[in-house]
Amino acid sequence: MQAKDSSLEWAIIGGGIHGTYLANMLLTHGYASHSDIRIIDPGTRLLQNWRKVTSSVDMQFLRSPGVHHIGADPLSLKDFAQKIAAQEKLFMSPNDRPSLKLFNAHSDDVILKNRLAELHWQGFALNIETGSGLSRIHTGSETLKARNVILATGQTDSPFWPEWAQKARIEGANIQHVLDPLFSKTTIPDSGEIVVVGGGISAVQTALSLSGGGRNIKLLSPHPMRYNNYDADPGWMGPKYLSGYSRIRSSRKRRSVIRAARNTGTITHELRHELAQSQKRKECTLFVDQTESCSVMADNLMLLRLLSGEKTGANCIVLATGYKKERPGGFLIDQLIDRYSLQISACGYPETGSDLQWQDGLFVTGALAELEVGPASRNIIGARMAANRILKSLPKQAAA
Ligand SMILES: Cc1cc2nc3c(=O)[nH]c(=O)nc-3n(C[C@H](O)[C@H](O)[C@H](O)COP(=O)(O)OP(=O)(O)OC[C@H]3O[C@@H](n4cnc5c(N)ncnc54)[C@H](O)[C@@H]3O)c2cc1C
């Protein structure tokens, strides 16, 4: 419980990859002490949503290299791996991509060693009032006061549901989205026709994790499979592309650069191999087509009409259609924009300073910082890029 009259130095909204990493950096670099920071998140533990969505798609190896994680020292995950006796494969080429198990175990170790769980305040920030150097964060049960706020809310609120799917859900179809925090594999029948909708890495991982047993998996992709080990060229993590990007003044232009730079709807080389194997075993069939409509014929029986004129039946539909393109963050962000006339671009995303400050003492990271940080902003490395900018902007004497 925060003492009534006391104010925090930092309140971080969101205890995911970005929020946890930034808290770790503020502590590690002496800009705050444990009593100065709180991470507000509805989860029962830090990184809960990350653990949930990555296990929902049954991700085995990360897409990012072993130096991308929530620890302060880029080499700490590798050092950690050397200390654990493991039977299974810990890294996948290229770039020593860690297994999810290793990444999460290392995250637990970082959280423990830096006592980050002590900072976790379980709650949901409903709205924020700012003014005269202090922000009040209302969580319904409590109000926290802080001199600085970091919005690290990720994209949990915005899995993308195509219109036909929204209609089918209302009609009672057995349909769910794999990135939904409430997604549950237990409602997927053990046998029958399971349609996984999507053409990217989450769709293929989900299709492979559901295949086998009595199920017949149909992977319904809007495009032929595309392959790339990166979801954005590594040049976007450093000066190679960012120096030119930082000279672009128009955020409309920045948005189009970001769109062109992200390799959405691509899969990594090992998933390509695994998918081919699964197709050979006739456990999974790839359809390149799009859904026009979906009718509920009976309980757990839907009929999808496809753009090609084909029809296909499904006992269960799993959407792996990624997140909405619109600005995430929901009501909390909308009310901040309205109440304080915060700058947003035509795409709806925040226009901030290079220090990611949206207004005095209000910072953004992750998806919300994309226009400033660039195509890698949402990723794990995006947290490091954001921390570098935010910490660099803080007055040195602020160190706790
Ligand atoms: C399946 C999947 C696999 C991925 N794999 C990789 C990978 O291999 N490498 C990589 O670099 N990136 C990867 N990413 C991208 C990215 O790193 C992750 O999405 C990461 O979780 C983003 O961190 P975040 O902190 O922005 O969001 P999250 O980790 O989702 O955390 C946001 C947190 O904010 C909380 N929150 C939201 N609103 C509020 C509020 N109002 N009040 C309080 N709390 C709130 C949410 O509950 C959530 O816990 C992956 C993404 C997905 C979906």
Side-chain angles (χ1 to χ4, degrees):
M1 188 78 60
Q2 181 192 14
K4 279 277 166 284
D5 58 351
S6 72
S7 316
L8 296 162
E9 198 54 42
W10 294 91
I12 299 177
I13 316 296
I17 295 276
H18 282 244
T20 306
Y21 179 77
L22 278 152
N24 192 18
M25 287 305 102
L26 288 166
L27 289 172
T28 303
H29 295 281
Y31 285 98
S33 62
H34 282 77
S35 58
D36 282 340
I37 311 183
R38 284 293 170 270
I39 304 174
I40 302 165
D41 190 283
T44 53
R45 58 194 295 207
L46 296 176
L47 303 189
Q48 182 155 313
N49 186 60
W50 160 263
R51 297 171 209 266
K52 169 67 182 148
V53 290
T54 50
S55 83
S56 292
V57 300
D58 203 21
M59 182 164 86
Q60 299 299 312
F61 289 88
L62 274 68
R63 195 172 198 167
S64 44
V67 288
H68 294 181
H69 50 73
I70 64 165
D73 167 8
L75 297 178
S76 69
L77 185 146
K78 290 226 175 113
D79 297 345
F80 176 79
Q82 268 152 14
K83 292 191 200 103
I84 53 173
Q87 308 308 320
E88 76 266 13
K89 192 177 163 79
L90 293 179
F91 294 99
M92 168 76 77
S93 70
N95 309 317
D96 289 334
R97 296 156 43 207
S99 71
L100 180 62
K101 224 166 147 191
L102 172 64
F103 180 90
N104 288 346
H106 174 256
S107 301
D108 291 340
D109 188 60
V110 170
I111 290 169
L112 186 69
K113 288 209 173 100
N114 299 284
R115 298 168 35 222
L116 302 178
E118 289 173 26
L119 311 177
H120 181 199
W121 178 291
Q122 194 175 4
F124 195 81
L126 297 172
N127 70 67
I128 300 175
E129 286 173 80
T130 71
S132 46
L134 203 62
S135 292
R136 284 173 175 70
I137 302 107
H138 303 289
T139 67
S141 58
E142 287 280 339
T143 295
L144 288 84
K145 289 178 284 181
R147 274 176 281 285
N148 297 289
V149 172
I150 301 178
L151 300 169
T153 47
Q155 303 170 269
T156 34
D157 64 308
S158 54
F160 172 63
W161 279 72
E163 212 176 310
W164 64 265
Q166 294 174 37
K167 285 199 188 119
R169 177 168 56 178
I170 294 164
E171 287 166 22
N174 181 355
I175 183 168
Q176 46 179 330
H177 197 294
V178 75
L179 297 181
D180 194 312
L182 301 175
F183 174 79
S184 161
K185 277 192 185 140
T186 55
T187 61
I188 298 175
D190 292 338
S191 60
E193 310 296 316
I194 314 296
V195 172
V196 176
V197 181
I201 197 165
S202 297
V204 172
Q205 286 165 329
T206 304
L208 291 173
S209 77
L210 294 175
S211 60
R215 292 179 179 139
N216 177 23
I217 305 296
K218 298 171 185 173
L219 176 57
L220 188 52
S221 169
H223 51 72
M225 287 291 112
R226 303 192 288 232
Y227 309 105
N228 199 312
N229 281 330
Y230 304 98
D231 67 0
D233 186 290
W236 287 108
M237 303 174 199
K240 184 175 175 194
Y241 293 146
L242 286 179
S243 50
Y245 180 81
S246 62
R247 288 192 290 276
I248 301 173
R249 290 288 128 243
S250 137
S251 47
R252 205 182 274 277
K253 175 83 178 106
R254 285 187 174 206
R255 174 53 62 197
S256 64
V257 169
I258 292 169
R259 273 208 195 102
R262 290 192 63 88
N263 302 325
T264 44
T266 57
I267 66 172
T268 50
H269 69 95
E270 86 279 359
L271 287 173
R272 175 183 194 163
H273 175 70
E274 286 168 37
L275 179 61
Q277 297 301 311
S278 178
Q279 288 173 287
K280 222 187 262 163
R281 291 190 299 268
K282 305 222 173 314
E283 289 172 354
C284 176
T285 315
L286 172 63
F287 294 81
V288 177
D289 212 329
Q290 294 189 47
T291 305
E292 270 190 338
S293 68
C294 171
S295 325
V296 180
M297 314 306 282
D299 257 2
N300 286 348
L301 182 58
M302 289 76 75
L303 184 66
L304 291 95
R305 285 178 185 73
L306 308 178
L307 216 56
S308 63
E310 292 292 318
K311 295 187 185 90
T312 189
N315 300 114
C316 173
I317 300 169
V318 179
L319 300 176
T321 44
Y323 291 109
K324 289 181 200 158
K325 293 196 172 25
E326 292 81 25
R327 176 189 66 240
F331 174 75
L332 179 74
I333 308 297
D334 299 350
Q335 59 93 27
L336 275 168
I337 294 169
D338 296 344
R339 186 182 286 177
Y340 302 107
S341 310
L342 300 181
Q343 292 286 313
I344 54 170
S345 163
C347 63
Y349 279 66
E351 287 187 340
T352 69
S354 60
D355 59 0
L356 303 184
Q357 211 161 178
W358 205 5
Q359 81 166 14
D360 282 356
L362 183 67
F363 298 84
V364 296
T365 184
L368 291 172
E370 195 170 49
L371 283 174
E372 190 53 40
V373 172
S377 185
R378 297 166 190 249
N379 296 341
I380 300 167
I381 189 66
R384 190 171 300 159
M385 296 160 82
N388 292 346
R389 287 162 173 265
I390 295 173
L391 270 61
K392 209 165 62 188
S393 76
L394 301 178
K396 279 289 162 275
Q397 73 280 2

